[in-house]
Amino acid sequence: MIPYGRQEITEEDIQAVVNVLRSDYLTQGPCIEQFEQSLAQKVGAEHAIAVSNGTAALHLACLALDIQEKDIVWTSPISFVASINCALYLKASIDFVDIDPLTRNLSVDALEEKLKKAKITNRLPKLLIVVHFSGAPCEMESIDKLSKYYGFKVIEDACHALGSTYQGKSIGQCCFSELCIYSFHPVKNITTGEGGAIVTNDYKLSAKLKRLRSHGITRNSIEMGHPIPGEWYYEMIDLGYNYRITDIQAALGTSQLKKLDDFIQKRTALAQKYLERLKHPAIQHPNTLHHSTSAWHIYVIEIKSENPLIKRDLLFSQLRSRNIGVQVHYIPIHLHPYFKKLGFNQGDFPLAENYYKNAITIPLYPRMDQKNQDYVINTLLDLLDKKA
Ligand SMILES: *Cc1c(COP(=O)(O)O)cnc(C)c1O
């Protein structure tokens, strides 16, 4: 089966991991800070805090912004469930903003409409979590204006967007957000096995995040507000978690990060070829804002046709039976049973639901070769043409 995405691990990566295994520290050693520095430098942020996975990064990001019970948090319904579960962990009230069918990111117009209504009913959000879906950046400048006018904070879920740029700057520079988070799961743009990170330009937030990932404990006398009695001494000053990453993973991350530019270049070339070669009236391709570039985490096409024989569901199973590992990203979050129990319904976000009916993710990963990509393209066009 040609997978929809997969990691690329080299001998260099393996050596980096083996070196840690032979060293004194498997966790809480020097590799974590090294990885954090490389990541911060790569994306142009002041601080990076590496954690155990992207979901932990989201949870800590919300905690650092002091999200609590009764606070309101919004995100896009077209994302992985973790993008909003982080708010539920803190007992916040959640809601979604429907998507822009062209970019599949949350629609700025829908956001503005919803904010106007929320202001009247006194239900304005404290936090908006934007998701750069598939790697295509959201319209951050307009979102920033709304955030200043209506007084909400912004977290970027950039799990798809390590290597994307907006207005010529890396996603992660946090020009229009408090915090930006990444995942390093094997399907993402670089991997540490499991892993994640938060980047920010705010020193205070970074210090708090470092405490929160390790039980809320500090060894810093300035953070305690008094001198320490001895070197053994530490204090727990927040309720934190064990969300640490290991040195083994961090070493892999540093090694992978060196290849990020190469990965993105390969992903971009594959995406370009799909755009040029997959020419069919029933196929709608992804769009990226003109002043931004996508890291092409996934390539999602939508199957749209008047012909009743051309349906996403049928095409999905036909492609799978031809060894093409297509996927669907994502089932709209509000349609999962857990969210229906919270009061969400079919029909709440019609553009997201319509997108979901037609969407199909086709294979794209750095090491995908010409032969496999040609096979995907030709099979897809054949299947569509047979029904035309
Ligand atoms: C992968 C992903 C996450 C969660 O990351 P994990 O490392 O798997 O916890 C969150 N949001 C989005 C958009 C993702 O793609």
Side-chain angles (χ1 to χ4, degrees):
M1 184 86 81
I2 304 173
Y4 83 86
R6 68 157 291 160
Q7 72 277 14
E8 182 167 329
I9 299 291
T10 61
E11 273 311 311
E12 228 180 6
D13 294 327
I14 294 167
Q15 203 50 54
V17 169
V18 169
N19 290 345
V20 178
L21 290 172
R22 294 193 204 285
S23 77
D24 292 337
Y25 296 99
L26 300 187
T27 191
Q28 295 176 282
C31 295
I32 296 169
E33 219 174 284
Q34 241 166 42
F35 178 45
E36 289 173 338
Q37 279 174 8
S38 319
L39 179 67
Q41 194 180 20
K42 185 82 207 164
V43 302
E46 300 269 331
H47 313 280
I49 301 93
V51 294
S52 48
N53 55 66
T55 306
L58 280 163
H59 184 189
L60 293 190
C62 288
L63 203 55
L65 294 182
D66 205 25
I67 297 302
Q68 304 178 14
E69 194 164 354
K70 305 263 159 50
D71 285 337
I72 298 172
V73 179
W74 293 356
T75 193
S76 167
I78 298 298
S79 186
F80 186 53
V81 291
S83 298
I84 198 67
N85 287 349
C86 51
L88 293 176
Y89 297 155
L90 301 170
K91 301 190 162 56
S93 280
I94 60 152
D95 206 349
F96 303 92
V97 180
D98 209 351
I99 62 162
D100 171 344
L102 278 181
T103 64
R104 298 128 177 204
N105 281 326
L106 69 80
S107 151
V108 173
D109 291 341
L111 175 63
E112 190 165 9
E113 275 309 298
K114 202 175 173 89
L115 286 165
K116 274 184 194 154
K117 285 186 192 149
K119 190 173 163 83
I120 295 165
T121 55
N122 212 11
R123 298 275 300 155
L124 280 171
K126 178 166 172 181
L127 170 67
L128 178 71
I129 301 173
V130 299
V131 183
H132 305 299
F133 179 75
S134 80
C138 296
E139 256 181 84
M140 294 308 293
E141 195 174 353
S142 315
I143 291 168
D144 181 58
K145 282 191 188 127
L146 291 171
S147 106
K148 292 194 169 112
Y149 185 79
Y150 288 97
F152 58 87
K153 292 185 171 157
V154 177
I155 291 175
E156 295 174 76
D157 179 340
C159 287
H160 298 186
L162 179 61
S164 298
T165 67
Y166 176 78
Q167 294 181 344
K169 291 177 181 158
S170 294
I171 290 292
Q173 231 168 323
C174 299
C175 300
F176 302 114
S177 67
E178 264 59 50
L179 301 156
C180 176
I181 76 98
Y182 301 103
S183 163
F184 309 122
H185 181 277
V187 298
K188 308 292 160 79
N189 293 352
I190 66 163
T191 189
T192 60
E194 295 281 355
I198 308 143
V199 296
T200 182
N201 296 325
D202 183 323
Y203 173 76
K204 268 198 165 150
L205 283 178
S206 95
K208 189 168 176 192
L209 285 162
K210 281 186 181 158
R211 281 199 305 276
L212 290 171
R213 87 169 151 193
S214 198
H215 311 282
I217 284 173
T218 183
R219 292 178 177 276
N220 181 328
S221 64
I222 299 167
E223 286 178 19
M224 293 175 201
H226 57 78
I228 51 170
E231 278 193 34
W232 74 88
Y233 192 75
Y234 60 85
E235 279 182 0
M236 178 182 136
I237 59 177
D238 299 304
L239 180 60
Y241 297 82
N242 180 352
Y243 279 166
R244 294 189 302 258
I245 195 168
T246 65
D247 273 53
I248 306 167
Q249 294 166 305
L252 179 56
T254 304
S255 179
Q256 284 263 301
L257 203 53
K258 290 181 191 150
K259 290 173 290 197
L260 177 66
D261 293 345
D262 178 49
F263 290 168
I264 301 303
Q265 212 174 7
K266 286 179 171 146
R267 287 178 176 279
T268 306
L270 290 160
Q272 192 60 33
K273 183 161 163 184
Y274 275 141
L275 182 66
E276 283 161 15
R277 294 271 316 278
L278 266 181
K279 283 212 160 72
H280 193 282
I283 296 179
Q284 184 183 318
H285 284 273
N287 290 285
T288 310
L289 299 175
H290 67 274
H291 47 272
S292 62
T293 62
S294 176
W296 295 110
H297 166 57
I298 48 176
Y299 200 91
V300 182
I301 55 172
E302 285 164 80
I303 305 299
K304 288 184 168 170
S305 171
E306 301 290 308
N307 182 343
L309 293 177
I310 299 182
K311 281 267 167 280
R312 190 278 310 272
D313 294 9
L314 183 62
L315 200 62
F316 185 95
S317 50
Q318 287 172 326
L319 287 164
R320 278 278 178 101
S321 73
R322 284 163 180 76
N323 278 324
I324 298 175
V326 284
Q327 262 299 353
V328 173
H329 295 96
Y330 291 95
I331 301 164
I333 299 175
H334 67 285
L335 298 182
H336 286 287
Y338 186 87
F339 293 89
K340 286 191 167 164
K341 269 193 287 181
L342 293 179
F344 294 99
N345 283 305
Q346 182 93 36
D348 285 352
F349 305 99
L351 297 173
E353 291 167 24
N354 191 53
Y355 157 83
Y356 164 61
K357 270 202 313 232
N358 303 322
I360 188 161
T361 305
I362 57 179
L364 192 159
Y365 48 92
R367 205 180 283 186
M368 186 178 201
D369 60 19
Q370 293 272 353
K371 194 173 118 263
N372 277 344
Q373 195 179 20
D374 288 340
Y375 176 68
V376 172
I377 292 168
N378 296 334
T379 309
L380 237 165
L381 291 176
D382 266 6
L383 286 168
L384 287 171
D385 283 336
K386 255 184 225 139
K387 296 172 193 121

